[in-house]
Amino acid sequence: MRDVRDLGSSHSWTLHQAVTGDGRQVFVKRARGAGDVFAAEAAGLRWLKEAGPRAPVADVLEVAGDHLVLPWLEETAPTREAAERFGRDLALLHLARPDRYGAPWPGKIADLDLDNTPDGGPWSRWYAERRLAPYLRRAAGTLGPGLTRRVERVLERIGDLAGPEEGPARIHGDLWSGNVMWTTGGAVLIDPAAHGGHRETDLAMLGLFGLPHLATVLAAYAETAPPAAGWRERTPLHLLHPLLVHTVLYGAAYAGRVDEAVRNLSG
């Protein structure tokens, strides 16, 4: 690598732009002792890419214990046309279904472990056991006993809240707007916590912090693979996992969002 330019840091790793020996511009994540993080990210990107030639996912150029190398992606302003294509391509990605929830590698979300133990479902039980309960235990001291107990009641009712069983979909798993890069070639997904999950999780997360042209993305998605009736009302359930993760990572600033999600599910 040459012409290395530091781009800052994220969680426990640093970010860089560099040029390879054959002249390609690349994006590099580097850390000491972060092999499981980079291995999980690389496995997720490659697994999502297996969905087909239209999977809007970044390529993995190299991965090792202390670094991950991806192509350098030139960002551009998102357009309505790019949003429509992204919606259709995301639907096709979800339709490339695995046969189990979870994934055949140890998962990570940021620096936190993510239990990807393959499981036949149903999704409601899997989600409660593998995505909500572990982070609720870690967030309980921040949320306090009252809110913690209210989230526990959501877990107890999850079979009624989850909607119709669809079977596992191939999902990104951390699809907030910062993980959608708009390039001259269209939207490209980065930084997944990929696994077999519920496709409504990706749809819910697209709106967590706002996505450009979100209505256009969702309309194009629905033309290709319409979500089940009532999916918007189930959005708070799917957001509970990322909100609990953010509470573990960043503290009490997210407790109010957890409380809002629970209130919406209780109403």
Side-chain angles (χ1 to χ4, degrees):
M1 298 284 182
R2 57 183 173 83
D3 299 332
V4 177
R5 181 166 68 95
D6 294 338
L7 302 174
S9 62
S10 177
H11 302 291
S12 61
W13 48 86
T14 56
L15 310 174
H16 313 270
Q17 182 184 18
V19 178
T20 63
D22 59 2
R24 290 178 297 168
Q25 287 197 74
V26 294
F27 175 74
V28 182
K29 290 184 175 182
R30 189 174 293 279
R32 183 172 297 175
D36 53 348
V37 173
F38 296 151
E41 182 175 345
L45 288 169
R46 288 167 170 161
W47 182 74
L48 292 172
K49 199 78 171 177
E50 290 172 3
R54 288 182 55 178
V57 182
D59 292 318
V60 177
L61 301 181
E62 182 177 309
V63 63
D66 65 347
H67 68 273
L68 174 68
V69 183
L70 308 176
W72 181 259
L73 299 173
E74 291 289 347
E75 293 189 79
T76 189
T79 65
R80 179 182 177 85
E81 291 75 19
E84 289 177 347
R85 178 180 174 185
F86 173 49
R88 292 191 294 270
D89 289 350
L90 181 63
L92 294 174
L93 174 65
H94 288 165
L95 290 174
R97 294 183 176 275
D99 60 0
R100 293 286 187 275
Y101 295 103
W105 62 85
K108 285 284 185 176
I109 186 163
D111 287 310
L112 304 178
D113 291 335
L114 192 67
D115 187 351
N116 273 349
T117 304
D119 192 312
W123 176 81
S124 56
R125 175 188 55 76
W126 176 87
Y127 184 63
E129 293 177 356
R130 310 286 187 184
R131 291 297 182 265
L132 296 183
Y135 304 97
L136 178 60
R137 287 192 292 270
R138 296 186 62 170
T142 301
L143 298 177
L147 181 51
T148 297
R149 179 57 190 143
R150 289 169 54 221
V151 178
E152 289 173 342
R153 292 194 189 102
V154 170
L155 270 66
E156 293 165 1
R157 300 171 50 224
I158 198 162
D160 297 326
L161 296 170
E165 177 70 17
E166 291 192 341
R170 196 176 298 240
I171 71 169
H172 179 283
D174 192 16
L175 198 54
W176 68 287
S177 56
N179 287 339
V180 181
M181 290 191 66
W182 300 95
T183 76
T184 54
V188 178
L189 303 184
I190 60 171
D191 293 343
H195 61 276
H198 200 305
R199 62 195 181 112
E200 290 177 10
T201 298
D202 275 356
L203 300 183
M205 288 198 68
L206 285 173
L208 181 57
F209 299 117
L211 179 80
H213 302 292
L214 177 59
T216 299
V217 171
L218 294 177
Y221 182 100
E223 290 177 1
T224 305
W231 76 268
R232 293 181 186 275
E233 288 71 30
R234 293 187 289 274
T235 291
L237 178 64
H238 291 271
L239 292 183
L240 263 184
H241 172 240
L243 291 173
L244 289 172
V245 167
H246 276 70
T247 303
V248 173
L249 289 172
Y250 305 117
Y254 284 91
R257 296 291 300 270
V258 174
D259 179 71
E260 179 185 9
V262 171
R263 289 180 185 275
N264 287 334
L265 290 168
S266 301

